[in-house]
Amino acid sequence: MPNTDAVDPTTTDSSTTESSTTESSTAATHPFQADVRQILELVTHSLYSDREIFLRELVSNASDALDRARFESLSDNSLRTASPPDGQEPGIRITVDRDARTITVEDDGIGLTAEEAEKNLGTIAHSGTRAFRELLAAQKEASEAGHPAEGLIGQFGVGFYAAFMVADRVMVDSLSARPGTTPIHWESTGGEGYELRPGDREVRGTRVTLHLRDDADEFLDVDRLKAIVRRYSDYVPWPVYVEGERANQDTALWRRDPKDVDDNDYKELYKHLSGDWQDPLAWVHARVEGTINFDAVLFVPRSRPWTMDRLDFKPALRLYQKRVKVLDSAEELLPRYLRWVTGVVDSPDLELNVSREMLQKTPAQRTIKKQLTKRVLDRLKELSVEDAEAYARFWEQLGHILKEGIHEVSIEGNAKDKDRLIPLLRFRTTRSHDAEDIVDRWRSLAQVKADMAEGQDAIWYLADVDKERIAHSPLLERFKKKGWEVLLLDDPVDEWVTMNLTEYEGVPLKSVAHGELEETEEESDPIAEEARKQARPLVDWMEMLLGEEVAGVRLSSRLVESPSVLVNQEGAMSANLERILKAANQDVPTTKRVLEINPEHPMVQTLARLQGEGKEGLEPFARLLLDHARISEGRLDDPEGFAARLQALMEKAANAL
Ligand code: ADP
């Protein structure tokens, strides 16, 4: 079992550092990068059931190479032109030689220079690495659980190296479309390395020849190959010929009537576009004709695309124009909060800017963006109704990004999309945060509103990015006692959500950490009233004492068990937001907060009595109430002062024993 952690640093980069053979006339042997050797080891020595996917991987690469050539030739007329056989369009040709036991997959695409062959066919492009690590992890898990790894490999795209699942020798003959380049021949038996030497291909494109392993006879069957192409590569927007006969549909998937596309074709298109090995969670197929025309297929992934962690992340939304792929990342066609959507948009009506890297902001661009946004949001709504569990999983993966939308659409004044987004929001609450079941864990505002208690005047929330502490905050004590559900907002982006979402269907959304809470009638009994009266002089005295540090001191109606808590003034920036902004290196002034003390807490009552009797030396006790409030928030601005106070009090207590 190869171990990913034990990649030998001395061999990892050897294939890229030894790049001196670029245009040399003799064959040179190059070692594979360590990661590649591990993949090959898996691919060649494991049992698997769906090794037919090798063809999907090769056809997918060929299709990309054709896309690139066509796009680049739009702006560069010095590229070599495609020269397919007579009577055929440029495309992908698969042929079989039963005697030689070979299959070839040939394309009229961009081709590979020697440098490119070395870089791309000896190392793992970043897209592959992650899938590879997942594959290793999954394999390890399967073998530890006593299952054979059969079937696993087939689920993952290992790209070009999948060829070695069926071949014991792979040869690549290529001529780059770029002028001045020379043909190359690359070959490998899949062991430690590969050979690279000048080749003899005369026309632009790449031919991959697989010499089949003894156990791979089945792939010499032409009908079998046609069936595999139809199964995995039907979406490919280029003709795929098997032994001269076209095997895939001649209309790109997104330009077909959705009735004529089966689910499997959508899934394969998704895998091709995203590099994800899992099936998509959902998709939308839109075909719009009118003043603006476009066809689009958009996918909702099952998990958060790992590429989103990269600084140079770009959404995988491809744009085609009259069959030509013009952009890999048409980010102007979807709002930022949908950047995890993968898909294809094909429209003749969009204009690109001069450098062809960006879409012009035109009415067509705005119309298409509006339409796509609506369709994705409507699809998510549908999913949430049809399959609450799938939607909850989606929410756990991507909800924090979708939520950004509330702020984005509010800035734009886009009320329609805001209305579409609000029902999609899910929250953990005091009622749901311990739920085992994922569906129970995530509550919609509609549910929270429907379950409001009698007398409850608002949907209450607590925002605190500390996921551990949030559910135990003293600020929740009274709400828990009354059985009022409180939304627990532990994501930084939630502060921006609540700023832009001040009510839900007529019910205000309010922070439990802000302002003074009113007491309801049933809460104010004579004993509580008496306690409040007793504590009032203490409040005045503490305000004098702590006036520098807090905005005020008052009696609390939020506390049940705790003696004290800090709250934000009505309308002021919350301590949570202040912390988020500071963590993001923003210069924010510290706002003073109000210290609330619990008149029914024995410690407060004792202090009130002693203070009323005129006892000396009570300052450390009063200060400890402030310390306590800070500690329960998980932060102490003045730990030395606190330690000194605590020590003084401990001495007093010990002396009194
Ligand atoms: P991926 O396609 O995920 O990047 P692969 O291992 O399948 O990984 O391919 C590695 C790279 O090799 C491709 O990104 C591409 O640059 C190059 N390549 C593979 N096949 C072809 C081809 N038929 N024509 C041109 N380049 C190719």
Side-chain angles (χ1 to χ4, degrees), residues 61-62 65 68 107 110-112 120-121 125 127-128 158-161 206 208:
N61 282 344
R68 271 185 57 199
D107 66 65
I110 191 79
L112 288 157
N120 299 326
L121 306 180
S127 63
V158 286
F160 172 75
Y161 307 103
T206 302
V208 181

Side-chain angles (χ1 to χ4, degrees), residues 6-45:
V7 169
D8 179 356
T10 56
T11 53
T12 308
D13 288 323
S14 52
S15 62
T16 42
T17 48
E18 262 180 53
S19 57
S20 53
T21 51
T22 310
E23 295 289 330
S24 89
S25 56
T26 51
T29 309
H30 305 253
F32 281 124
Q33 186 192 41
D35 272 356
V36 174
R37 286 205 304 271
Q38 291 184 18
I39 281 211
L40 288 172
E41 164 107 14
L42 268 178
V43 158
T44 51
H45 293 121

